[in-house]
Amino acid sequence: MTRNKTGADRVQAPAETESPAGKCGWEHFEHQADIGVRGYGPTREAAFEQAALALTAVLTEPALVAAREQVALSCQAPDDELLLVDWLNALVYEMGVRRMLFGRFTVRLTDHRLDAVVWGEAVNRAVHQPAVEVKGATYTALRVAREEGHWVAQCVVDV
Amino acid sequence: MRVPGIVFADEPLLREMDDKVYEQVTNVATLPGIVAASYAMPDAHWGYGFPIGGVAAFDAEQGGIISAGGVGFDISCGVRTLRTGLTLDETLAAQQPLADALFMHVPAGMGSRGRIVLNESEIDAMLAGGAQWAIERGWGEPADLERIEEHGRMGGAMASEVSAKARERQRAEMGTLGSGNHYVEVQVVREIFDARIAEGYGLREGEVVVSVHCGSRGLGHQIGTDFLRRMALAAGEYGLVLPDRELACAPIRSTVGEAYLGAMRAGINCALANRQIITHLLREIFARVLPQATLHVLYDVSHNTCKLETHEIDGRPRQLYVHRKGATRAFGPGHADLPTALQPFGQPVLIGGSMGTGSYVLAGTTRGESLAFSSSCHGAGRRMSRRQASKRWHGREVIDALARRGIVIRSHSNRGVAEEAPDAYKDVAAVVDAAHTAGLSAKVARLTPVMCIKG
């Protein structure tokens, strides 16, 4: 993959890390007009955190986003899938009104309530070169499930 | 299915269409109160719930529904084209300074802010007044209004149904372009197909126009988010059995349905006000760089809407809620909603192509009324996902290749340019030819880009 000097020029490569608890990662999946975001990990929390990283990677390379400021977020929904959409939409909202990007996420889930702390910084267009804005998370290809030993959290986001 | 699904396209376009389009057209055809058919325009592609390029009309008296997904997140996203009276040579003489001035003074891309910050009462006034509100504040001329759908102001807007979050997202976003496929493009009229209508529209070969493609910004996106959720949660309550959650909708005659209708109409006004403010910015920029230009609105079309319209079904006029998602209203000659000057010609249908290929002006036809509720295509439609496009091309390469063809691109994001590469889109000429041949709308003129400011 060729990159410009900021590294934000081309599509972001999926990322995977391995902890004692198991594999964690995110990837984008195909949607003709928009983009699918998918996070996976050993726990629901990890999958939600990774889905948030995939959301940031729609805009820029997550590694380019410094953890300068923290924001606390909470949301609640009747089921896991709506909770994922609410979580991603809460991030879309905070990015929009604060003009920020987020690169680090800690999620705590209690049944269908989510409490998170997210870290990021103000958008710097020279550094981050954000490609698009995300308008919102959709219910298309929406799934939160335990598959082959790990949790997957995914949906299509509208850009 | 309660009604048939009808796709307008030629064979190559049909072959290129994602199977998901057929699935989504079929799903829409199962929804309560749908009338006549579930349609897909020639540029249709896979959306969420409804296909992009989808048209469906519902009768409230027959239990018809309204769907936030059937309108889309970017409520009233649309295109406005302005005539400048400039020749291509005059424009090319100032190509670089004009591109620089447009790039500097029209806020574009993620993280940009408008010059205007609204307080709560001004947000209410904007949501009720649309482009009329903007003109009352000095951003435009009263004559602009007759060239905008709904005369620049969507009636029935309910600002009270627009959430605090939606308002907050919009506070500093008035007069901003957004990102993705949004743009300001300076174009030349390259070819005329119908001399009579082109003359009526004031389009002459070799003259320059400016087109703006943008929508209702954060406010519209948040209304979409809020009501997709409310509709998904309320579906069971209303006895709606949906094949997929993404088809979330509510009966038009229900608390949620009426609230959405009011909020969505307010979102339409936000988009109309936004394009009006950008028009004002363009006039300021041209006055400085090319003072001989006079910018007149040719027309302003909206792509993502649900509108109450009268259509004749089996010889009887019926009031229908027509969803157009990535589709353009295309009223034919003589339609009462058109200004007098456009009555003999039909409504201008403005089709945005990619930044390398060109755009088209078409005209609404009488025949289009019986084909798909006076609707036509809205653009080229994506052939390739953003992900595929940014894997295949480098933004800089795309900019350089277009520069060699005399097209100047300005963008804050190279990756954004790569995702919008001309070859990531279907052949706009094929889409327009299909719309023309089917009779949905008639070709009037082809425009090619001179410069493009990408959102």
Side-chain angles (χ1 to χ4, degrees), chain B residues 188-211:
Chain B
V188 62
V189 179
R190 188 63 71 184
E191 193 177 358
I192 300 279
F193 303 104
D194 187 315
R196 184 186 72 89
I197 299 180
E199 180 65 25
Y201 287 176
L203 293 171
R204 288 173 198 89
E205 198 172 327
E207 283 195 358
V208 167
V209 300
V210 192
S211 293

Side-chain angles (χ1 to χ4, degrees), chain A residues 102-149:
Chain A
F102 300 109
R104 205 174 119 203
F105 309 87
T106 304
V107 168
R108 196 158 51 88
L109 294 175
T110 315
D111 296 325
H112 301 305
R113 180 186 166 82
L114 176 148
D115 294 285
V117 180
V118 304
W119 288 264
E121 62 175 331
V123 176
N124 179 331
R125 294 205 285 193
V127 174
H128 303 123
Q129 289 211 8
V132 287
E133 288 167 308
V134 174
K135 294 171 187 163
T138 77
Y139 300 152
T140 298
L142 173 61
R143 201 167 82 242
V144 176
R146 200 171 159 77
E147 290 174 356
E148 296 168 8

